[in-house]
Amino acid sequence: AQSVAQPEDQVNVAEGNPLTVKCTYSVSGNPYLFWYVQYPNRGLQFLLKYITGDNLVKGSYGFEAEFNKSQTSFHLKKPSALVSDSALYFCAVRDMGYGQNFVFGPGTRLSVLP
Amino acid sequence: ETGVTQSPTHLIKTRGQQVTLRCSSQSGHNTVSWYQQALGQGPQFIFQYYREEENGRGNFPPRFSGLQFPNYSSELNVNALELDDSALYLCASSLEVQGNTEAFFGQGTRLTVV
């Protein structure tokens, strides 16, 4: 069965500093990996995905993620954090069985301090 | 905004009652999935509908049921509500059942069971 781990419940970073939100996964076969962000009282917003190709994926709002097959990781990064980036971040993998639903990690709360 | 709308945004029900949640998918999308997000957790897959047929189901009891209509909008029905059903219910729509595509989420329905 597919699974996703986000080892940090909370990440704090100062505005203007680089940020990293960690994600590791366990899948059978090639992974389809996604990052979503959730702001308070809102649904999930798509940030970026890795399907195949270049290991560095660029997405919305200046975010990027690095796929590392040997470490089974897909860490989310941004070179310079903004206070408005403060939100809940979810890493997800597609379950390639029937329905191909998302399997989400538990989420990491990012706080960017001014 | 994603174009996926859910109603109502909030509701309160009593244990044992029944509830129906509604979702209007993004224009052109024929696949709708429902997820349950308990407080402090990642979303959990309930089921998916593709062209009006159930196309995948997560580990939820049969009292969770659904429908998809010819216009691809969808309903989630929960019978015999339990306190643990209190959660944010998210609807996601996508174009076809393809693992390499992202899904677009609505803002969710916050259900409180008392």
Side-chain angles (χ1 to χ4, degrees):
Chain A
Q2 332 290 353
S3 66
V4 174
Q6 295 180 241
E8 301 158 318
D9 293 336
Q10 173 94 29
V11 170
N12 297 320
V13 63
E15 187 175 29
N17 283 1
L19 69 87
T20 299
V21 182
K22 295 180 180 178
C23 171
T24 59
Y25 64 89
S26 174
V27 302
S28 53
N30 293 321
Y32 289 172
L33 295 159
F34 298 77
W35 276 100
Y36 281 85
V37 60
Q38 186 175 37
Y39 295 98
N41 301 314
R42 301 291 295 275
L44 303 178
Q45 295 182 26
F46 169 72
L47 282 178
L48 50 78
K49 65 182 178 183
Y50 172 82
I51 303 303
T52 188
D54 194 348
N55 289 344
L56 185 64
V57 178
K58 294 189 183 296
S60 306
Y61 313 119
F63 284 94
E64 57 189 28
E66 186 169 12
F67 171 66
N68 188 315
K69 187 173 184 177
S70 62
Q71 297 186 5
T72 62
S73 67
F74 188 55
H75 300 333
L76 181 70
K77 301 181 180 184
K78 188 174 182 181
S80 179
L82 299 173
V83 172
S84 57
D85 293 330
S86 298
L88 192 55
Y89 289 80
F90 291 99
C91 181
V93 64
R94 279 284 198 180
D95 184 332
M96 297 308 290
Y98 186 53
Q100 299 186 13
N101 56 280
F102 288 102
V103 176
F104 285 92
T108 297
R109 185 164 300 282
L110 173 67
S111 292
V112 181
L113 309 174
Chain B
E1 298 299 325
T2 63
V4 180
T5 58
Q6 294 185 240
S7 62
T9 54
H10 297 81
L11 75 165
I12 300 174
K13 289 286 189 178
T14 302
R15 188 172 50 183
Q17 285 187 316
Q18 178 267 344
V19 69
T20 297
L21 311 182
R22 295 178 174 83
C23 172
S24 176
S25 60
Q26 186 160 315
S27 177
H29 286 188
N30 57 21
T31 303
V32 173
S33 302
W34 287 90
Y35 291 80
Q36 181 196 66
Q37 185 180 11
L39 198 61
Q41 297 183 22
Q44 300 290 317
F45 175 64
I46 303 175
F47 46 58
Q48 179 185 84
Y49 279 83
Y50 172 63
R51 295 187 177 182
E52 303 179 57
E53 298 288 332
E54 187 176 290
N55 188 48
R57 190 177 181 91
N59 189 26
F60 280 81
R63 59 190 185 84
F64 285 79
S65 63
L67 282 174
Q68 188 180 31
F69 300 99
N71 66 355
Y72 302 134
S73 64
S74 178
E75 287 183 354
L76 163 65
N77 298 290
V78 187
N79 293 322
L81 284 166
E82 301 177 358
L83 298 179
D84 285 349
D85 295 334
S86 296
L88 181 68
Y89 288 85
L90 295 166
C91 167
S93 78
S94 56
L95 179 61
E96 304 293 338
V97 181
Q98 294 178 353
N100 61 355
T101 59
E102 59 271 28
F104 296 90
F105 285 78
Q107 83 283 6
T109 294
R110 173 76 61 188
L111 172 65
T112 302
V113 182
V114 298

